[in-house]
Amino acid sequence: MLFSELHCKYYTLVNTILNLSHNKSISLDTIRKCITDKGFLESVTCLVPPLVSQDCEGYHLLVKNKKGYQSILKNKPSIYTTNLELSWIKTLLQDSKINLFLDEEDYHNLCKTLLNVEPLFNIESFNYIRQDNSIKFGQNKNYEKKFKKLTYALQNNEQLELNIDNTSPIIIIPYKMEYDIKEDNFNLLSILLDGEKLSSIQLISITKINAITFKGAAPNRNLINTFVKKYKLKEPIHFELSNMRSGFERVFMQLSPYDRLTEFY
């Protein structure tokens, strides 16, 4: 289950609901709202029935009473890191891109803590065909600094001035970071500003950014989301997929950044 996007999300949702219903009752509407806000589109129909069911089909984690539903646990649930999860973290530490997401102290502390833990597999065992490996993440400190500046701006809703190869500086609002597995590179999905007006959307490769300057707070995030929504297709793309050669896993991994509704039949 460690590698299941669906079930890992469900564990998190159930943990949240058990915390909410500890020593007090919560309504069915509260359970539904929690799952709707934090889960997938199909999570309400998949997860609510076994959670609240009091018969043999239920999970029996919640007891129904006059006020609603209450956790059966005496204490709030504790989350422990399993040996499998520790091995997975040890495997991630082998990836040279991990330094983009951890500072040096955290990285060394994790390496020290997991010194005697065996990784699930060796990163070197996998060879990506026709992938550009020119960036050398573990050795490219300049790339690492740019990545961390961009992620800081994303998290803190900052607008930026970017100097890009052979072009005049531009003012942008960072919207989302995307990883290109073929180029082995991260791209920044950006909203270009024309004065104070949101003008267009552009995908910018981090490798082409020469300098980054912070330019203060970006507009309200709701305004930004509304602007991006206008660029999305009004009609969704429909396609059928068979699970030949683990097609579900391979395709869903590539589609993970996008909104989607999945039906199995």
Side-chain angles (χ1 to χ4, degrees), residues 119-253:
L120 289 178
F121 55 84
N122 254 329
I123 294 292
E124 291 77 15
S125 300
F126 294 86
N127 182 32
Y128 294 92
I129 300 172
R130 293 189 294 275
Q131 184 183 62
D132 182 3
N133 302 118
S134 60
I135 294 175
K136 308 293 181 187
F137 287 104
Q139 305 166 25
N140 196 331
K141 292 298 180 183
N142 184 42
Y143 189 100
E144 185 178 321
K145 288 178 182 177
K146 290 189 291 184
F147 182 90
K148 290 184 176 180
K149 279 187 177 182
L150 294 173
T151 51
Y152 177 88
L154 276 166
Q155 293 164 357
N156 294 278
N157 200 36
E158 295 265 358
Q159 63 186 38
L160 302 170
E161 179 182 276
L162 302 182
N163 288 81
I164 299 176
D165 291 348
N166 302 319
T167 62
S168 301
I170 57 173
I171 306 296
I172 63 102
I173 300 169
Y175 182 73
K176 186 189 293 185
M177 197 80 80
E178 295 183 353
Y179 175 66
D180 185 334
I181 192 170
K182 183 178 179 182
E183 299 295 329
D184 194 26
N185 176 42
F186 288 90
N187 299 311
L188 181 69
L189 188 62
S190 310
I191 300 170
L192 273 66
L193 284 173
D194 182 8
E196 295 184 358
K197 181 183 177 183
L198 308 181
S199 64
S200 61
I201 294 177
Q202 186 173 337
L203 194 64
I204 303 171
S205 170
I206 294 181
T207 57
K208 294 183 179 180
I209 300 174
N210 294 325
I212 301 170
T213 305
F214 290 92
K215 302 294 287 185
N220 181 277
R221 202 68 186 174
N222 291 331
L223 178 66
I224 296 170
N225 289 335
T226 301
F227 178 79
V228 172
K229 192 174 181 180
K230 292 179 181 178
Y231 279 80
K232 293 185 177 180
L233 292 174
K234 293 182 179 180
E235 295 296 327
I237 298 172
H238 296 271
F239 66 88
E240 293 185 8
L241 174 68
S242 72
N243 199 29
M244 185 180 297
R245 293 165 51 213
S246 302
F248 293 163
E249 180 180 348
R250 291 183 294 109
V251 172
F252 287 167
M253 183 176 293

Side-chain angles (χ1 to χ4, degrees), residues 81 84-94 110 114:
T81 308
L84 181 60
E85 289 169 328
L86 291 174
S87 292
W88 176 239
I89 296 171
K90 182 66 174 282
T91 307
L92 292 178
L93 292 177
Q94 298 180 32
L110 278 170
L114 302 175

Side-chain angles (χ1 to χ4, degrees), residues 87-112:
S87 292
W88 176 239
I89 296 171
K90 182 66 174 282
T91 307
L92 292 178
L93 292 177
Q94 298 180 32
D95 192 329
S96 59
K97 290 187 286 294
I98 198 67
N99 290 311
L100 299 175
F101 302 95
L102 299 175
D103 61 37
E104 195 170 334
E105 183 179 357
D106 288 338
Y107 174 77
H108 288 300
N109 285 338
L110 278 170
C111 288
K112 184 177 179 180

Side-chain angles (χ1 to χ4, degrees), residues 4-41:
S4 170
E5 178 185 3
L6 184 67
H7 289 90
C8 283
K9 172 65 75 174
Y10 282 9
Y11 293 151
T12 305
L13 290 172
V14 171
N15 180 71
T16 302
I17 291 167
L18 289 175
N19 275 288
L20 288 173
S21 61
H22 176 64
N23 285 341
K24 66 175 183 180
S25 298
I26 59 175
S27 67
L28 181 59
D29 285 342
T30 300
I31 294 173
R32 284 175 173 159
K33 186 177 187 308
C34 176
I35 295 173
T36 301
D37 291 345
K38 300 178 183 295
F40 303 112
L41 290 175

